[in-house]
Amino acid sequence: MSDVVARLMAKVAQELGAGPEFPGATYRLQFHAGFTFRDACALLPYLHDLGITHCYASPYLKARPGSTHGYDITNHQLLNPEIGSEDDYADWVKALQAHEMGQILDIVPNHMGIAGNENPWWNDLLENGPASPYAGFFDISWHASPRPELQNKVLTPVLGDPYGKVLEAQQLRLAYAAGAFTVHYFERRFPVSPCSYGMILGQRREELERIVGAEAPPLVEYQSILTAIGHLPRFYEREPAKVAERQREKEVIKRRLAVLTEESPPVREFVEQTIDFFNGKPGDPHSFDLLDRLLDNQAYRLSYWRVASDEINYRRFFDINDLAALSMERPEVFAATHELIFRLLRARQVNGLRVDHPDGLYDPKQYLQRLQQQFVLARARNLFETQPEYQELDWKELEAPLLEEIAKAARGNPAGPLSRPLYVVVEKILGSAEPLPEDWPIYGTSGYYFLNMLNGLFVDTDNAPDFTRLYNDWLQDAPRFAQVVYEKKFLILQIAMSGELQMLAHQLDRLAQKDRWSRDFTLTSLRHALREIIACFPVYRSYISEEGVHESDRKYIHMAVNRARAKNAALSSSIFNFVRDRLLLKYPDSADDEARAEQLRFAGKFQQVTAPVMAKGLEDTACYVYNRLLSLNEVGGDPDRFGLTPSALHRYCQERQAHWPRALSTTSTHDTKRSEDVRARLNVLSELPGAWRDCLTHWGELNRRHRIELEDISAPDANEEYLLYQTLLGAWPLEPYSDDEYAEFVQRIQAYMLKALHEAKVHTSWINPNPPYDEAAQEFIARILNVATNGPFLQHLRTFQKRISHYGLFNSLGQTLLKLTAPGVPDTYQGTELWDFSLVDPDNRRPVDYGRRGEMLRRLRESVATAGTRLPEFARELTATKEDGRIKLYLTSWALNCRREHPALFTIGEYLPVETGGAKADHVFGFVRRHDAECAVVVIPRLLTRLAPDLDALPLGLDIWQDTVLLLPDIDPNLSWRNVCTGEVLKTSIRSGQAALPLGEILSHFPVALLLAESGR
């Protein structure tokens, strides 16, 4: 057998030796019932012409009916039927292959959707509690609650009102069908534990005997069923034999009951009458006692949805009750959730994966290693099943030794073919100075850090003091961003995730009680210390595991503990030291193996809490409260960092090329707070603090009369009004637009501001909405955007907005070209190859008009084909008419196709910063990509309001750029350079001993440039 394993290992290593099939450029598609596999098939000719190599698909496993995003998977074994059938999927894959394209699939290992009745694992868990075969699949603390009523139960916070009110309003109703009892709450169905069927069937037995007769066969069978129910193992009995017996016998009982009620109408009628008896009578509280007792005997506890924040005992995705977290660290959970994914990978129908929310996992590194190793195993199985020499062997006997050898090979040679054979990127949100763990077997992140670094280039760092002063003046003392983050994380731990904190505190308390030196720490003081440390945690999470504590983890924990201690002088330092030592795996002398394992488990669970608290506190709260410059308030961003110098971006790109050259490079996603084009516009404000201050003052005066006075406050407040004005500047539609388009825009702004105010949690929130305030804010927006009654404001706003938009579009072209050519794999979010001024979801998930885009690209290709030597003039025409969007589509397609024609140059090629000289040197950013004999130069302008202050003048030619030149490092001065977008061929000159190119010639007809080296002079 060892020889067979060795041969298979050698063959799979040879097969995987060339490495993964890397994407060259991805295009994100959001699949749902309104955009299916068939719809995607029809797009492929367009995407191929655009220059895309891989479609980047949102999750398309079976999700909650009507899901618009796919992150609420209910069954990992099936494709989502709303998106298409198996045949539709096969056609989609064939179409991809016919266009020599592949796909990257977004997978969701952290959680599952449990809303509705579609999740079979969750349904089984509700029916059988801890005795369910799936009880260990979900991250549930069956014994963590201090409430005896929640022992061996899962809290189910689905009720719209308090439990008693819902019960006595007859909104909870017992029902029966096909041998099974269920409790219905509107469209939701909750299974009744078969152990408690006797509480129903045991009612009024004398009445049944009178109806059918004491010796009648139906009664004998009825009583036999009751006896069988009485012998069922209880739902808290978890021994494997008892679990198996329960699973088997409960189904036998259901079948027998179904047959009996079908064959005996009197018994069926009797059961239905009993159900009516359980369902009570309105106005008679005691008539609901039976149903109340029945519900008390279930493995779930139905509750008011507001109870979740304090008493939830299952881990959620953030604070979303309908998304229950999985225990993905368990091998059986991994196997069950990835079976279909590996089948698609084995068949080469999927070529790579994007892993959603890895920070939610107990041990992300372990998960990612398992992902790679199981992929190798899947490829080995493919060889095993297709080659004749293995026909007489049993795969099950080979699987375990093969997996052991695969793991050993990956550990022994981290750079070998079995270490990272599958292209995997992760949705990891990094702090501003946090490196991605290099021991993760991945190819990088999904691109949020890149997005923010790139965005910072277009922010004028010199104006940070002026902008901060302006914001402080408007708010009359704005808080520091770091303080806002701390306060909002603290708030999240109070109002949204106090249940998670409570479970963690009880876990820590059990550790404290095991040692004489810590037994006097109270639960209250431990919970307080934990809350402070989590609120002060500087990054999303640490990665402590059984492998030990990294130095970076140690640094973050010390930082958090020290900050928390400094904020709480009245709380004993010894408590903070105790928490620190438990997290850093400093074991007490008395700790045995079990105690050490429990301490490690606590550290792991702590890490699973800090990540969602940071996400909710920073991304979903602080980023709607600290509004100094909204383009900085992005997922993975740092609103405290006002822009980025060119040299800092060069350093980042060089590091990225050295360590993560295959990571995704994105500028818009389904989760960004605003689109790339909105951010590009808002960045212009950083160049104009004086004009922005004047506009704010004027608009505030004009719109003061429209504010709504409530009892103790006017709506909106100053900070919200500041956010609104920036949002209008960033999202305003390009002219001309129709009355209907303008009305739609007003509705979009109202919807966005409603979400923004609720996320900010200042005057209103999702948990505690304030309808009068919400309505007042909506009315204010309607008033100030009313063309008929607020003309002076709108006229002034549109004048300034046109100025912002003019420069913002050039910013967008610059960031687009950098994304397409800098180190990394460029990702285009659906529809953003044209101007897109979307805001946060659901605004950014509106349908995309692909027909318009396809036709526009076709005409562009025709125009270029007929332009011939007049291509520079055509490029200038695109620049002059930039508002129609053709210029962005043109740049995207021509750069992507160039990249596809020169894959090595833009993937493994060197990244070399270029120096600039001349009068406008501060307004240009450029670099060289070089691989062997291939070479490219990328040039974009920045900070254009000072470069070209005249709105009627395009930022082109010698009049603008004067004597500014690019100095090309270590580049042959005899090379000629072809401009990909204009067709022009440029010659280098020698300046200070280096090859040089004048900016006035590079950017004579088009505002950005991608130059390819050609033969010598």
Side-chain angles (χ1 to χ4, degrees):
M1 188 64 68
S2 60
D3 290 343
V4 175
V5 170
R7 290 201 307 273
L8 259 178
M9 284 290 294
K11 287 184 178 182
V12 77
Q14 182 179 9
E15 184 177 277
L16 297 173
E21 178 188 324
F22 293 115
T26 61
Y27 190 95
R28 173 72 178 206
L29 294 173
Q30 294 293 119
F31 284 97
H32 47 79
F35 185 83
T36 65
F37 294 133
R38 290 186 179 183
D39 296 320
C41 279
L43 284 187
L44 291 181
Y46 163 69
L47 294 180
H48 181 269
D49 289 347
L50 190 63
I52 300 300
T53 68
H54 286 68
C55 289
Y56 167 23
S58 66
Y60 50 59
L61 303 189
K62 187 176 181 182
R64 176 183 57 82
S67 174
T68 58
H69 49 76
Y71 290 98
D72 44 5
I73 293 170
T74 59
N75 193 322
H76 286 88
Q77 279 73 41
L78 300 172
L79 296 172
N80 190 338
E82 294 185 349
I83 296 173
S85 65
E86 290 275 358
D87 288 342
D88 293 333
Y89 184 77
D91 291 342
W92 155 244
V93 172
K94 288 177 184 175
L96 282 168
Q97 293 169 348
H99 287 85
E100 298 182 330
M101 296 171 67
Q103 65 169 319
I104 308 299
L105 175 61
D106 195 346
I107 63 171
V108 192
N110 178 68
H111 55 268
M112 289 186 77
I114 58 171
N117 314 297
E118 288 74 31
N119 190 320
W121 295 350
W122 189 256
N123 290 342
D124 192 286
L125 182 145
L126 292 177
E127 182 180 61
N128 300 294
S132 168
Y134 304 105
F137 277 43
F138 296 93
D139 195 350
I140 299 172
S141 299
W142 296 101
H143 305 287
S145 174
R147 287 184 181 269
E149 297 86 356
L150 267 177
Q151 296 300 304
N152 287 305
K153 294 188 178 186
V154 59
L155 187 76
T156 312
V158 298
L159 306 181
D161 282 302
Y163 169 75
K165 181 178 180 180
V166 169
L167 180 71
E168 294 185 19
Q170 277 192 321
Q171 292 176 7
L172 293 170
R173 299 187 62 83
L174 183 64
Y176 169 81
F181 291 98
T182 50
V183 173
H184 291 232
Y185 178 64
F186 297 106
E187 73 280 359
R188 297 286 294 268
R189 296 190 308 273
F190 298 93
V192 172
S193 170
C195 292
S196 60
Y197 282 14
M199 297 180 66
I200 305 167
L201 299 176
Q203 296 291 323
R204 304 165 53 243
R205 271 186 293 180
E206 298 81 1
E207 179 69 13
L208 179 62
E209 182 177 334
R210 185 187 63 78
I211 293 171
V212 301
E215 303 298 326
L219 182 61
V220 173
E221 174 64 1
Y222 191 90
Q223 291 174 328
S224 177
I225 290 172
L226 276 172
T227 301
I229 292 169
H231 286 92
L232 272 179
R234 306 292 98 175
F235 62 68
Y236 48 79
E237 297 182 72
R238 306 182 68 170
E239 299 85 354
K242 292 289 188 181
V243 170
E245 179 185 349
R246 178 186 173 91
Q247 288 292 113
R248 180 182 65 249
E249 296 303 322
K250 72 180 179 66
E251 296 305 315
V252 172
I253 289 169
K254 290 178 186 177
R255 287 195 295 271
R256 290 175 64 187
L257 187 58
V259 170
L260 175 61
T261 53
E262 184 177 342
E263 293 181 350
S264 175
V267 172
R268 173 65 189 236
E269 184 179 354
F270 173 80
V271 170
E272 290 173 349
Q273 290 173 353
T274 302
I275 288 171
D276 289 339
F277 192 54
F278 267 75
N279 284 330
K281 297 179 181 178
D284 182 1
H286 289 296
S287 68
F288 296 95
D289 290 350
L290 281 175
L291 183 55
D292 184 28
R293 283 198 294 272
L294 179 68
L295 289 170
D296 274 346
N297 278 270
Q298 303 310 306
Y300 50 86
R301 181 178 174 86
L302 297 177
S303 72
Y304 187 23
W305 67 269
R306 290 180 180 272
V307 173
S309 61
D310 285 331
E311 297 197 353
I312 197 80
N313 67 336
Y314 62 89
R315 188 167 60 86
R316 303 166 290 176
F317 173 69
F318 296 175
D319 59 348
I320 303 174
N321 297 338
D322 288 340
L323 297 176
L326 293 162
S327 297
M328 192 54 66
E329 65 273 17
R330 300 170 69 105
E332 66 273 21
V333 180
F334 181 94
T337 52
H338 289 72
E339 181 181 342
L340 175 57
I341 292 168
F342 281 116
R343 177 163 64 82
L344 300 178
L345 288 167
R346 279 179 63 198
R348 293 178 170 81
Q349 295 175 315
V350 168
N351 310 103
L353 303 174
R354 180 261 202 189
V355 177
D356 181 65
H357 191 46
D359 276 350
L361 303 173
Y362 181 76
D363 187 346
K365 179 182 175 182
Q366 176 207 61
Y367 169 79
L368 295 166
Q369 288 175 330
R370 191 174 281 161
L371 201 61
Q372 295 287 358
Q373 291 165 13
Q374 290 288 340
F375 173 71
V376 178
L377 187 67
R379 294 293 287 268
R381 182 168 186 175
N382 207 49
L383 289 170
F384 175 86
E385 292 178 349
T386 56
Q387 298 196 2
E389 64 182 288
Y390 305 115
Q391 284 183 355
E392 304 300 321
L393 300 174
D394 186 351
W395 170 255
K396 290 184 178 180
E397 294 180 9
L398 289 171
E399 191 169 8
L402 264 173
L403 195 55
E404 185 177 337
E405 289 299 315
I406 291 167
K408 188 186 300 182
R411 286 194 303 270
N413 184 8
L418 303 186
S419 162
R420 290 191 303 167
L422 175 63
Y423 180 76
V424 176
V425 292
V426 294
E427 187 216 20
K428 165 62 188 167
I429 310 301
L430 295 164
S432 58
E434 180 187 7
L436 182 63
E438 292 203 15
D439 58 352
W440 286 7
I442 58 173
Y443 286 89
T445 73
S446 56
Y448 286 109
Y449 197 82
F450 174 88
L451 178 157
N452 286 283
M453 295 295 283
L454 186 59
N455 182 71
L457 181 69
F458 300 91
V459 174
D460 192 340
T461 56
D462 291 343
N463 288 330
D466 290 342
F467 236 82
T468 301
R469 192 178 307 113
L470 180 161
Y471 187 46
N472 283 335
D473 290 347
W474 179 261
L475 292 193
Q476 299 180 357
D477 192 22
R480 292 184 304 108
F481 178 66
Q483 182 64 22
V484 173
V485 174
Y486 164 78
E487 291 174 357
K488 299 313 175 185
K489 290 173 70 176
F490 198 95
L491 178 68
I492 293 300
L493 286 164
Q494 287 181 311
I495 66 169
M497 299 187 68
S498 59
E500 284 81 355
L501 177 65
Q502 181 84 343
M503 287 190 287
L504 196 62
H506 277 280
Q507 199 173 352
L508 181 61
D509 184 55
R510 288 194 296 271
L511 290 175
Q513 296 308 307
K514 289 185 176 183
D515 186 69
R516 66 174 69 111
W517 290 92
S518 55
R519 59 180 288 181
D520 286 339
F521 295 149
T522 66
L523 176 62
T524 299
S525 63
L526 291 170
R527 183 171 57 244
H528 188 120
L530 277 173
R531 182 168 54 234
E532 289 289 348
I533 291 169
I534 293 170
C536 291
F537 213 76
V539 292
Y540 279 70
R541 64 166 283 175
S542 51
Y543 298 100
I544 295 165
S545 70
E546 59 185 9
E547 293 184 358
V549 182
H550 292 88
E551 277 308 308
S552 58
D553 300 328
R554 195 179 311 278
K555 178 183 73 174
Y556 299 140
I557 288 169
H558 277 285
M559 191 181 298
V561 170
N562 291 339
R563 288 176 179 174
R565 184 189 288 115
K567 289 178 179 289
N568 293 270
L571 192 61
S572 171
S573 269
S574 61
I575 296 177
F576 288 107
N577 294 340
F578 171 74
V579 179
R580 178 199 64 203
D581 292 347
R582 297 295 81 78
L583 290 172
L584 293 176
L585 304 186
K586 294 182 179 179
Y587 300 109
D589 294 338
S590 59
D592 55 16
D593 289 345
E594 182 180 346
R596 287 170 176 253
E598 188 175 353
Q599 185 172 330
L600 176 62
R601 188 74 181 167
F602 165 74
K605 302 309 290 182
F606 173 87
Q607 295 172 139
Q608 288 179 295
V609 173
T610 61
V613 171
M614 177 67 92
K616 292 299 296 179
L618 171 57
E619 295 174 28
D620 292 347
T621 309
C623 280
Y624 290 94
V625 173
Y626 187 82
N627 299 319
R628 180 177 58 164
L629 180 61
L630 286 183
S631 57
L632 304 177
N633 294 21
E634 195 48 85
V635 178
D638 180 2
D640 218 15
R641 183 174 63 191
F642 201 86
L644 199 71
T645 63
S647 60
L649 183 57
H650 280 313
R651 286 194 300 273
Y652 166 71
C653 288
Q654 288 174 310
E655 291 170 2
R656 199 171 203 241
Q657 183 61 27
H659 298 282
W660 306 106
R662 307 282 188 174
L664 289 186
S665 302
T666 192
T667 43
S668 292
T669 78
H670 60 288
D671 273 340
T672 43
K673 301 300 183 188
R674 45 195 60 82
S675 75
E676 58 200 57
D677 296 329
V678 172
R679 287 195 308 276
R681 283 174 162 182
L682 292 176
N683 284 334
V684 178
L685 286 178
S686 73
E687 304 177 51
L688 304 168
W692 174 227
R693 179 187 287 272
D694 292 343
C695 285
L696 280 172
T697 302
H698 187 51
W699 298 345
E701 292 172 353
L702 289 174
N703 291 328
R704 182 180 290 113
R705 63 193 176 97
H706 295 306
R707 297 187 192 116
I708 313 297
E709 295 299 325
L710 301 175
E711 288 184 4
D712 55 352
I713 195 172
S714 61
D717 70 18
N719 196 30
E720 293 160 352
E721 192 172 351
Y722 188 91
L723 179 148
L724 173 60
Y725 292 146
Q726 286 189 77
T727 302
L728 292 174
L729 291 174
W732 198 271
L734 290 165
E735 298 184 9
Y737 47 79
S738 67
D739 290 345
D740 288 344
E741 288 170 330
Y742 182 73
E744 180 188 358
F745 170 71
V746 173
Q747 292 173 358
R748 287 176 52 219
I749 295 297
Q750 288 177 313
Y752 168 77
M753 287 300 296
L754 183 66
K755 177 169 182 172
L757 300 189
H758 282 221
E759 296 284 18
K761 306 171 188 66
V762 176
H763 302 295
T764 184
S765 69
W766 300 118
I767 294 177
N768 288 302
N770 182 348
Y773 195 90
D774 294 341
E775 292 166 8
Q778 297 288 287
E779 178 62 22
F780 176 80
I781 295 167
R783 290 179 181 181
I784 71 168
L785 296 181
N786 189 314
V787 177
T789 60
N790 208 32
F793 163 70
L794 289 173
Q795 182 177 354
H796 195 273
L797 171 74
R798 288 171 63 183
T799 300
F800 186 61
Q801 197 281 330
K802 286 179 182 178
R803 183 181 181 190
I804 295 296
S805 182
H806 170 76
Y807 295 113
L809 298 185
F810 289 119
N811 280 351
S812 183
L813 294 173
Q815 73 177 359
T816 297
L817 182 58
L818 293 186
K819 175 181 73 173
L820 300 179
T821 55
V825 177
D827 173 51
T828 301
Y829 181 67
Q830 59 177 30
T832 58
E833 62 271 28
L834 290 186
W835 303 130
D836 178 78
F837 303 108
S838 295
L839 299 166
V840 73
D841 71 278
D843 194 58
N844 61 6
R845 300 179 190 180
R846 290 170 292 150
V848 177
D849 187 348
Y850 286 111
R852 175 178 173 234
R853 285 161 174 77
E855 177 63 16
M856 190 178 288
L857 181 58
R858 184 186 66 78
R859 290 186 178 181
L860 280 172
R861 291 161 70 95
E862 288 179 354
S863 296
V864 170
T866 58
T869 58
R870 296 184 58 80
L871 186 57
E873 287 76 8
F874 178 68
R876 179 178 279 270
E877 177 200 331
L878 292 177
T879 307
T881 59
K882 62 185 184 301
E883 283 77 12
D884 65 19
R886 291 181 302 155
I887 189 171
K888 189 179 184 186
L889 181 62
Y890 177 75
L891 174 64
T892 299
S893 182
W894 263 248
L896 282 176
N897 278 279
C898 176
R899 184 183 180 103
R900 186 163 58 188
E901 293 165 7
H902 304 273
L905 174 62
F906 291 103
T907 53
I908 60 176
E910 295 176 87
Y911 176 95
L912 304 172
V914 300
E915 296 180 10
T916 56
K920 306 297 182 180
D922 291 341
H923 295 277
V924 63
F925 181 85
F927 55 85
V928 171
R929 300 301 305 272
R930 182 173 63 187
H931 177 70
D932 293 339
E934 292 187 307
C935 199
V937 173
V938 176
V939 184
I940 63 105
R942 60 188 292 267
L943 309 182
L944 273 74
T945 62
R946 295 198 306 273
L947 176 71
D950 183 356
L951 294 184
D952 294 327
L954 298 175
L956 305 175
L958 290 172
D959 289 344
I960 295 292
W961 290 104
Q962 301 175 19
D963 63 343
T964 310
V965 295
L966 286 186
L967 302 174
L968 306 180
D970 192 27
I971 296 296
D972 182 357
N974 294 314
L975 290 175
S976 297
W977 300 88
R978 179 176 60 84
N979 190 318
V980 171
C981 293
T982 68
E984 297 167 289
V985 176
L986 306 178
K987 308 292 185 181
T988 55
S989 60
I990 305 297
R991 182 79 63 92
S992 302
Q994 288 183 275
L997 289 169
L999 261 294
E1001 293 183 17
I1002 297 173
L1003 303 180
S1004 60
H1005 293 92
F1006 203 70
V1008 299
L1010 170 57
L1011 311 177
L1012 279 180
E1014 294 190 332
S1015 58
R1017 298 174 187 273

